[in-house]
């Protein structure tokens, strides 16, 4: 039985079955860390989460598009101003391509500043002859493939909090301090991207945007006073998996009296933890942030409808985003009944496509990879299903990096399977590199124009 609305508290999830949580070696130590985190300042404010909800409401109404993207798992080791800046550059580039290509506002959400915990299909993995705990993210333990490194350490929640705070600080500085100014549109094109076909295509758009700005000035508009041109909102999000951490960062908003999970603007519930009578749905049912839920190929229309009723009983537009990850082969067949059920029940949800998580495959040498063609194929299938059911295809959810990695195959400059070893750097799932991401943005902009 789920705990009812009137009995919800930040810890009421503890009475329900919970999966994918680490077993902390000492519950006293875990409790001490939770108490410490509960006293630290919130990372985001309730008012910001409400502003994002408002932006997502526009998407639910078919008047904007979401670009949600970032690492599969952020790393405690690979943490620097440069990696954050490079991620922001590609996010801004993709958003420019989509905004310009489809002439629609783009709501930009990073998988950033808190994406430190991973769900696993299997609790252990075999390394040599040893069976060790599977990697669950740097907020739980280290990634080195030894039993010792994989021992959960609750102190890592505090380290994760501080890294999230420093990341967010930099994201705010970059996005509000001139770096995201549309006059900088050319400087977001990194050298290794600029020399590629998609980089050159980007340069054309960047020049057109610049001309449009000069044209407006020539017409007498004073663009210096237009904040929309000089700064952007980049919102933060992560999978709300580790409930010890999420509970400890949950605060009551002094303005409305409502509870918000102040670890990020938006949180999503993963495919493996969306059970209706389980802890994650209970917890996120009670906080007022915008919430996402991943829907895999097994998601039946009635389950999805029950999730909508449970997580958004008042049908607040922008509160609930459904993130579809059904696979390139299956999405067009499996999604329409789900779209219909939610549409007919008049739930004002945002539909977005995660074309990454149901298109994983292994190479002959055992590398996890994804084909660019499958990623694009799932987005196309998603758009086609939405078009068929007259539902707004509200956006995409991607795993990318600003670096020149070789983790996914294909794209216009085709990374080959035998090249994957060259720069395979991810901690978890394979990410699109900056060129592949930009390539994808152009293709998605074309799909958006055809809606
Ligand atoms: C993820 O987004 O990294 C993830 C694990 O997704 P899913 O829950 O869809 O498998
Ligand atoms: Co992933």
């Amino acid at each position: 039985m789920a705990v009812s609305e009137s009995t919800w508290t930040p810890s009421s999830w503890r009475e329900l079955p919970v999966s994918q949580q680490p077993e902390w070696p000492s519950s006293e130590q875990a409790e001490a860390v939770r108490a410490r985190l509960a006293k630290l300042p919130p990372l985001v404010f309730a008012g910001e989460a409400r502003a994002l909800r408002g932006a997502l409401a526009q998407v639910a109404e078919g008047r904007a598009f979401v670009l949600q993207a970032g690492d599969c798992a952020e790393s405690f080791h690979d943490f620097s101003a440069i990696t954050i800046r490079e991620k922001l550059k590609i996010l801004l580039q993709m958003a420019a391509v989509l905004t310009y290509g489809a002439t629609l506002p783009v709501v930009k959400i990073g998988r950033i500043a808190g994406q430190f915990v991973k769900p696993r299909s299997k609790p252990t993995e075999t390394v040599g002859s040893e069976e060790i705990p599977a990697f669950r993210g740097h907020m739980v333990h280290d990634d080195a493939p030894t039993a010792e490194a994989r021992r959960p350490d609750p102190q890592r929640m505090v380290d994760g909090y501080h890294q999230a705070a420093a990341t967010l600080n930099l994201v705010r500085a970059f996005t509000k301090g001139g770096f995201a100014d549309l006059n900088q549109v050319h400087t977001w094109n990194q050298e290794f991207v600029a020399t590629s076909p998609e980089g050159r295509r980007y340069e054309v758009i960047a020049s057109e945007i610049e001309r449009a700005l000069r044209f407006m000035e020539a017409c007498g508009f004073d663009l210096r006073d237009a904040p929309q041109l000089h700064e952007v909102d980049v919102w933060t999000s992560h999978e709300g998996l580790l409930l010890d951490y999420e509970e400890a960062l949950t605060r009551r908003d002094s303005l409305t009296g409502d509870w918000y999970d102040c670890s990020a603007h938006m949180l999503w519930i993963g495919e493996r933890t969306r059970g209706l009578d389980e802890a994650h749905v209970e917890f996120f049912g009670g906080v007022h942030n915008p919430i996402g839920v991943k829907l895999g190929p097994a998601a039946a229309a009635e389950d999805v409808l029950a999730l909508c009723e449970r997580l958004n009983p008042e049908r607040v537009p922008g509160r609930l985003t459904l993130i579809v990850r059904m696979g390139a082969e299956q999405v067009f067949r499996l999604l329409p009944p789900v779209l219909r059920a939610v549409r007919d029940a008049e739930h004002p949800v945002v539909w977005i496509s995660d074309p990454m998580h149901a298109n994983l495959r292994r190479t002959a040498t055992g590398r996890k990879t994804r084909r660019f063609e499958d990623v694009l194929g799932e987005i196309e299938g998603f758009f086609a299903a939405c078009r068929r059911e007259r539902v707004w295809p509200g956006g995409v959810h991607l795993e990318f990096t600003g670096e020149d990695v070789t983790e996914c195959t294909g794209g216009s400059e085709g990374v080959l399977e035998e090249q994957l070893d060259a720069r395979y750097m991810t901690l978890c799932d394979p990410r699109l590199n900056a060129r592949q991401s930009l390539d994808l943005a152009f293709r998605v902009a074309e799909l958006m124009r055809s809606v």
Side-chain angles (χ1 to χ4, degrees):
M1 259 290 285
V3 179
S4 76
E5 168 105 63
S6 59
T7 57
W8 188 93
T9 68
S11 62
S12 54
W13 62 271
R14 292 180 185 277
E15 290 158 43
L16 294 168
V18 61
S19 47
Q20 301 282 347
Q21 306 302 291
E23 284 179 28
W24 304 120
S26 143
S27 47
E28 290 77 30
Q29 197 198 356
E31 181 47 43
V33 169
R34 282 200 299 270
R36 165 113 199 273
L37 279 173
K39 291 204 186 86
L40 293 174
L43 293 174
V44 304
F45 298 108
E48 296 177 310
R50 277 194 291 276
L52 173 57
R53 198 179 66 206
L56 289 170
Q58 301 268 307
V59 183
E61 287 165 16
R63 290 192 278 128
F65 196 76
V66 176
L67 173 62
Q68 184 172 26
D71 276 308
C72 180
E74 285 175 277
S75 166
F76 281 11
H77 306 313
D78 176 24
F79 171 46
S80 70
I82 295 172
T83 50
I84 296 168
R85 189 191 63 205
E86 300 312 289
K87 254 180 268 184
L88 274 176
K89 275 186 184 169
I90 184 67
L91 192 72
L92 293 171
Q93 278 190 291
M94 292 176 80
V97 168
L98 293 169
T99 311
Y100 190 80
T103 49
L104 272 179
V106 173
V107 181
K108 298 168 265 305
I109 309 177
R111 281 175 66 114
I112 200 167
Q115 178 56 21
F116 294 121
V117 192
K118 299 308 299 171
R120 301 316 303 240
S121 303
K122 287 196 288 214
T124 58
E125 65 180 286
T126 310
V127 177
S129 58
E130 219 194 337
E131 184 103 332
I132 63 167
F135 177 55
R136 291 187 179 277
H138 276 163
M139 205 141 80
V140 175
H141 49 201
D142 190 41
D143 57 288
T146 66
E148 185 47 34
R150 299 282 170 87
R151 201 175 132 86
D153 175 2
Q155 177 58 31
R156 284 175 166 265
M157 291 195 281
V158 178
D159 300 341
Y161 165 90
H162 287 297
Q163 180 164 326
T167 304
L168 188 54
N169 181 48
L170 211 57
V171 169
R172 291 189 198 278
F174 277 135
T175 52
K176 305 291 176 188
F179 182 76
D181 192 310
L182 258 191
N183 291 299
Q184 301 290 323
V185 66
H186 281 290
T187 64
W188 306 333
N189 211 3
Q190 297 183 65
E191 220 174 283
F192 78 92
V193 180
T195 50
S196 67
E198 49 276 23
R200 288 194 290 274
R201 205 170 158 196
Y202 175 80
E203 279 300 312
V204 174
I205 287 194
S207 299
E208 285 174 13
I209 292 173
E210 252 183 353
R211 271 179 70 80
L213 293 177
R214 299 294 82 80
F215 173 75
M216 298 286 282
E217 271 170 346
C219 291
F221 289 101
D222 186 354
L223 301 184
R224 284 169 309 182
D225 288 340
Q228 301 88 329
L229 299 178
H230 307 303
E231 51 185 52
V232 296
D233 288 322
V234 171
W235 310 97
T236 60
S237 73
H238 61 260
E239 177 172 352
L241 185 63
L242 183 55
L243 292 180
D244 281 333
Y245 180 74
E246 305 305 337
E247 176 190 334
L249 281 165
T250 296
R251 308 280 192 270
R252 203 191 268 278
D253 173 30
S254 56
L255 222 58
T256 59
D258 290 335
W259 291 98
Y260 281 83
D261 180 348
C262 296
S263 72
H265 299 113
M266 177 193 188
L267 287 306
W268 76 86
I269 304 174
E271 165 70 1
R272 295 163 191 77
T273 49
R274 59 176 169 78
L276 204 57
D277 292 326
E278 293 175 22
H280 289 81
V281 170
E282 165 64 19
F283 177 78
F284 287 106
V287 296
H288 284 69
N289 306 60
I291 298 298
V293 183
K294 292 283 197 92
L295 301 179
E302 63 267 24
D303 302 340
V304 179
L305 214 46
L307 280 166
C308 292
E309 292 292 339
R310 187 71 208 291
L311 291 169
N312 193 15
E314 283 157 27
R315 298 171 192 237
V316 178
R319 152 74 174 168
L320 186 60
T321 297
L322 297 175
I323 309 168
V324 178
R325 31 90 85 220
M326 296 185 167
E329 295 281 304
Q330 308 197 80
V331 65
F332 185 68
R333 182 167 54 82
L334 298 178
L335 184 57
V338 183
L339 293 174
R340 268 198 299 280
V342 175
R343 181 198 66 198
D344 292 349
E346 296 183 27
H347 269 285
V349 304
V350 171
W351 290 102
I352 69 180
S353 167
D354 165 359
M356 315 299 292
H357 285 92
N359 294 311
L360 268 175
R361 41 189 296 280
R362 281 199 191 264
T363 65
T365 60
R367 281 263 187 237
K368 267 208 270 184
T369 189
R370 290 158 170 152
R371 293 194 190 108
F372 182 88
E373 294 68 30
D374 293 342
V375 170
L376 183 62
E378 176 149 2
I379 298 177
E380 285 169 350
F382 169 81
F383 268 75
C386 289
R387 190 178 307 124
R388 184 170 133 179
E389 298 304 328
R390 301 180 314 283
V391 165
W392 178 247
V396 289
H397 178 119
L398 306 171
E399 287 184 346
F400 76 19
T401 169
E403 285 146 88
D404 190 10
V405 301
T406 52
E407 298 171 6
C408 294
T409 59
S412 65
E413 270 193 308
V415 175
L416 303 172
E417 204 161 295
E418 47 276 23
Q419 294 171 330
L420 289 177
D421 283 340
R423 286 178 307 283
Y424 193 97
M425 285 152 45
T426 186
L427 263 183
C428 196
D429 289 341
R431 304 158 297 176
L432 297 168
N433 66 30
R435 278 193 299 257
Q436 290 168 327
S437 303
L438 196 56
D439 191 354
L440 197 70
F442 280 110
R443 317 257 192 146
V444 174
E446 276 160 26
L447 283 171
M448 285 164 68
R449 271 200 297 267
S450 68
V451 171

